[in-house]
């Protein structure tokens, strides 16, 4: 039996046990880039079966995080996300309600507004029962120093694991590192000018629950045109500045300049109960942009690439690395325009 056949057989057995009836399981190759998504049919019913990466490969409990987030949202009537119908923690699977929809290829102003409505509902949960049980968001950034540490950590890992990739190392040493030095200095000066302590952790009162890695790349357009939102493996407490920056900058679904302005203004209103939100966003946005440059280069890290392959990534590794390096170069070249107010 091939690896693919074995994975399908395992998913079928687990789905059947959770559904309690005969099922037909098929792989959705367009699912998440780190997790496997299976479509489960049983009579007239349809479900999504999500298989999470092994804890051996990723120590974060993605399954527990997403299930906890979805159940919290269900308790509070947020209905634009899947529902949890079953969990097999021992094998790393969750059975979710099926959402009919297609990828959001073109983002409209009404989609921006729908995202803000959803984020407003999430922000409103921060004082709700069970909210305190939610973990920190994945790679939370609660001060400027943490953003710098994450960038330096990514740089070090790329230098170590891809030291023979000469074009990559040249790009890091001669483009990314000098830009980081300049932007770090500017961010620190901007923070100081705004009366912010660059290295001080954000107080709990200004943190929010955020669906980290949120964006239109993790959305579906329903048949009626409304959006549904997916993928909450990184959900948790964080500075909403990071969430806002990630949506403004995400290379998977880039926004037009007017849309970036629309979202930025709406996010500033949403999170503006924190009087320093807008200043932190302006000070840290270029650093988050550099962080995205390095995220685009994850495919150079062997274990990250293997995770992509297991999740259905197509193409040769060498071709994907060349493509991602080109994307990273282009993103860095356009960063100044992306972070303009």
């Amino acid at each position: 039996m091939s690896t693919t056949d074995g994975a399908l057989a395992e998913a079928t057995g687990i789905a059947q046990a959770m559904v309690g009836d005969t099922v037909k399981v098929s792989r959705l190759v367009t699912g998440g880039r780190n997790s496997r998504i299976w479509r489960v049919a049983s009579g007239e019913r349809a479900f999504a079966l999500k298989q999470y990466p092994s804890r051996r490969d990723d120590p974060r409990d993605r399954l527990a995080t997403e299930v906890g987030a979805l159940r919290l949202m269900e308790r509070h009537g947020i209905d634009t996300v899947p529902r949890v119908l079953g969990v097999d923690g021992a094998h790393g699977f969750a059975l979710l309600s099926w959402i009919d929809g297609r990828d959001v290829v073109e983002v409209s102003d009404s989609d921006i507004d729908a995202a803000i409505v959803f984020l407003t509902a999430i922000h409103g949960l921060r004082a709700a029962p069970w909210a305190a049980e939610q973990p920190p968001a994945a790679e939370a950034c609660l001060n400027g120093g943490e953003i710098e540490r994450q960038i330096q950590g990514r740089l070090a890992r790329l230098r170590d694991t891809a030291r023979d990739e000469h074009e990559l190392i040249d790009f890091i040493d001669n483009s990314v590192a000098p830009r980081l030095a300049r932007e770090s200095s500017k961010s620190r000066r901007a923070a100081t000018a705004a009366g912010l302590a660059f290295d001080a952790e954000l107080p709990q009162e200004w943190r929010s629950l955020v669906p980290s890695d949120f964006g239109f790349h993790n959305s579906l357009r329903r048949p009626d045109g409304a959006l549904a939102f997916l993928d909450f493996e990184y959900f948790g407490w964080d500075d909403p500045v990071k969430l806002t920056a990630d949506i403004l900058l995400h290379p998977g679904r880039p926004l037009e300049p007017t849309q970036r302005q629309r979202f930025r203004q709406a996010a500033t209103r949403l999170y503006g109960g924190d009087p320093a939100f807008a200043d932190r966003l302006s000070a840290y946005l270029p650093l988050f942009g550099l962080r995205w440059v390095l995220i685009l280069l994850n495919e150079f890290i062997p274990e990250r690439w293997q995770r992509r392959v297991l999740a259905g990534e197509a193409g040769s590794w060498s071709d994907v690395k060349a493509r991602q390096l080109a994307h990273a170069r282009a993103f860095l070249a356009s960063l100044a325009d992306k972070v303009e107010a």
Side-chain angles (χ1 to χ4, degrees):
M1 179 182 292
S2 70
T3 301
T4 302
D5 290 340
L8 177 61
E10 180 187 26
T12 300
I14 287 172
Q16 189 159 309
M18 286 200 275
V19 172
D21 203 348
T22 302
V23 300
K24 181 178 181 181
V25 175
S26 55
R27 173 77 180 281
L28 285 184
V29 296
T30 56
R33 300 188 71 200
N34 293 297
S35 301
R36 286 177 171 174
I37 310 291
W38 309 85
R39 187 182 191 278
V40 178
S42 180
E44 298 296 317
R45 299 178 296 167
F47 310 90
L49 183 69
K50 188 166 185 178
Q51 181 179 7
Y52 297 81
S54 168
R55 297 287 296 279
R56 295 188 301 272
D57 301 326
D58 186 342
R60 287 175 295 142
D61 195 341
R62 294 170 179 246
L63 184 154
T65 298
E66 180 156 42
V67 167
L70 290 174
R71 285 176 170 165
L72 177 66
M73 286 185 266
E74 182 177 11
R75 289 186 188 109
H76 293 275
I78 298 175
D79 61 1
T80 50
V81 299
R83 294 286 178 249
V84 178
L85 304 176
V87 177
D88 183 338
H91 297 95
F93 286 82
L95 187 71
L96 308 175
S97 59
W98 180 259
I99 296 178
D100 281 319
R102 64 186 190 278
D103 286 347
V104 179
V105 178
E106 295 185 359
V107 178
S108 67
D109 286 352
S110 62
D111 294 332
I112 300 285
D113 298 341
I116 287 292
V117 169
F118 177 70
L119 292 174
T120 299
I122 297 294
H123 187 56
L125 298 181
R126 64 195 186 282
W130 303 289
E133 300 173 10
Q134 302 304 312
E139 296 188 324
C141 291
L142 298 175
N143 57 52
E146 176 59 24
I147 309 170
E148 287 185 334
R149 283 189 290 276
Q150 290 188 18
I151 293 171
Q152 293 290 359
R154 287 178 179 275
L155 282 171
R157 191 172 187 191
L158 283 167
R159 285 192 176 108
D160 181 55
T161 61
R163 62 176 69 92
D164 295 328
E165 301 280 354
H166 301 299
E167 286 190 58
L168 171 69
I169 299 303
D170 177 73
F171 175 60
I172 287 174
D173 289 345
N174 296 309
S175 297
V176 179
R179 184 70 172 270
L180 175 60
R182 294 195 301 271
E183 296 296 354
S184 290
S185 179
K186 289 167 60 178
S187 290
R188 286 179 177 273
R189 289 198 303 271
T192 299
L196 303 174
F198 188 84
D199 293 299
E201 192 165 283
L202 187 70
Q204 178 63 37
E205 64 181 311
W206 304 128
R207 302 178 195 181
S208 186
L209 288 172
V210 299
S212 194
D213 195 30
F214 174 79
F216 299 102
H217 64 297
N218 279 330
S219 305
L220 288 177
R221 191 175 304 286
R222 298 177 186 265
D224 65 359
L227 296 186
F229 302 104
L230 313 172
D231 198 354
F232 299 95
E233 300 175 21
Y234 305 102
F235 187 93
W237 291 97
D238 201 352
D239 183 348
V241 159
K242 177 173 179 286
L243 169 75
T244 303
D246 284 348
I247 295 172
L248 291 172
L249 298 170
H250 200 293
R253 293 291 188 278
L255 302 179
E256 296 295 330
T258 56
Q259 292 177 328
R260 287 199 298 269
Q261 185 180 46
R262 186 185 188 93
F263 183 83
R264 185 168 182 168
Q265 291 173 347
T268 300
R269 290 192 297 270
L270 171 58
Y271 300 115
D274 170 4
F277 175 85
D279 288 331
R280 280 202 316 283
L281 180 60
S282 294
Y284 299 161
L285 195 56
L287 293 180
F288 281 116
L290 290 170
R291 185 176 178 275
W292 268 111
V293 170
L294 299 178
I295 291 172
L296 285 168
L297 300 172
N298 275 346
E299 276 78 0
F300 281 84
I301 300 172
E303 57 267 33
R304 293 293 185 93
W305 170 246
Q306 286 304 313
R307 195 181 301 164
R308 299 286 200 242
V309 170
L310 289 173
E313 181 78 38
S316 72
W317 193 17
S318 60
D319 288 345
V320 170
K321 287 188 289 187
R323 180 194 71 200
Q324 291 304 113
L325 180 56
H327 284 178
R329 290 184 189 278
F331 190 92
L332 182 62
S334 67
L335 185 56
D337 292 334
K338 295 179 185 296
V339 301
E340 285 184 356

